[in-house]
Amino acid sequence: MIGIAQIISGCLKQDSRCQKALYEKYYGYALKIVFRYIYHYDKAVDVVNDGYVKLFMKFSTFKCENEEHLEKMFMGWLRQIMVNTAIDALRKNDLMPEIGGIADHVWEEPDRSANADQRVLYKELMIYVKKLPPVYRIVFNMFVIDGFTHHEIAESLCISVGTSKSNLSKARALLQKFINKDSGAIELCSI
């Protein structure tokens, strides 16, 4: 089994075996990222594949000076490409994501980025997030889950920073309402 440093080195040289290894290793991770924005499974798969095409075309721009953090840096870069690709796909549909169920097989895709407890909590949270209006959902995903700043969100979605902050606040309030309705008095203060 080759390591991430070898895979990335091979991808920089456009080695198709390394590209395939990278695709297979991070496919589940990429699909879960995209699925937070696009709930229709077939379209999410298309967006992931589009994201990988962009990733391989821009691979020479990936930089990581500290090899100790190579995988972490790569996963952040991959996440950003997948989020941006998903947002581009949503823009084509006037930011109206398709309504669809979260298929069980999506959760079965291997994702080595979280332990079992975190996966269960994540799945439950995504069920609530899916109930949010599209614009609130996108801002929530970008800020809370994907770690974008309000400035980056505003730039990406062509909205003001104030609108981004307002949408996040409204998303949190709605999530609190959904969760309280289902389970009593759970606090979302840590989000």
Side-chain angles (χ1 to χ4, degrees):
M1 185 166 138
I2 59 176
I4 187 66
Q6 291 173 300
I7 291 173
I8 288 175
S9 176
C11 287
L12 286 167
K13 297 173 187 166
Q14 299 181 345
D15 180 326
S16 62
R17 289 177 303 142
C18 291
Q19 289 173 333
K20 181 181 179 193
L22 185 97
Y23 178 87
E24 290 173 353
K25 181 174 178 76
Y26 295 102
Y27 178 80
Y29 175 72
L31 183 60
K32 286 179 179 128
I33 291 166
V34 169
F35 212 72
R36 287 195 300 263
Y37 298 88
I38 299 174
Y39 291 121
H40 193 279
Y41 181 77
D42 292 337
K43 295 215 184 253
V45 168
D46 290 343
V47 170
V48 168
N49 289 330
D50 291 346
Y52 269 105
V53 168
K54 290 178 183 180
L55 179 132
F56 291 128
M57 288 176 56
K58 297 179 180 183
F59 217 94
S60 62
T61 65
F62 175 68
K63 303 287 184 238
C64 181
E65 290 78 38
N66 187 344
E67 198 168 307
E68 182 180 320
H69 301 291
L70 182 62
E71 185 168 34
K72 189 178 197 179
M73 295 297 294
F74 174 75
M75 289 176 76
W77 187 59
L78 172 64
R79 180 180 63 239
Q80 186 165 4
I81 289 172
M82 291 299 162
V83 169
N84 289 339
T85 305
I87 289 170
D88 289 346
L90 290 173
R91 250 192 222 120
K92 290 178 185 175
N93 296 319
D94 296 323
L95 292 175
M96 293 301 293
E98 296 210 37
I99 303 301
I102 300 177
D104 285 337
H105 58 86
V106 170
W107 305 109
E108 295 166 9
E109 287 293 337
D111 178 1
R112 294 157 187 86
S113 64
N115 66 33
D117 291 342
Q118 289 173 328
R119 283 192 297 268
V120 169
L121 292 173
Y122 173 81
K123 183 177 178 179
E124 290 173 0
L125 176 62
M126 287 301 102
I127 289 168
Y128 289 118
V129 170
K130 183 182 179 225
K131 295 178 182 180
L132 292 172
V135 177
Y136 297 171
R137 180 173 49 232
I138 292 167
V139 171
F140 181 85
N141 281 330
M142 290 181 78
F143 186 85
V144 174
I145 298 173
D146 293 318
F148 285 80
T149 66
H150 284 293
H151 179 74
E152 292 168 326
I153 294 168
E155 189 176 295
S156 181
L157 298 179
C158 300
I159 60 176
S160 71
V161 171
T163 300
S164 176
K165 289 179 180 180
S166 173
N167 287 346
L168 177 62
S169 177
K170 290 174 184 175
R172 285 178 169 164
L174 277 173
L175 284 172
Q176 183 73 52
K177 186 176 177 181
F178 296 154
I179 291 171
N180 285 342
K181 180 181 175 194
D182 286 351
S183 63
I186 297 175
E187 291 293 322
L188 281 181
C189 295
S190 62
I191 293 180

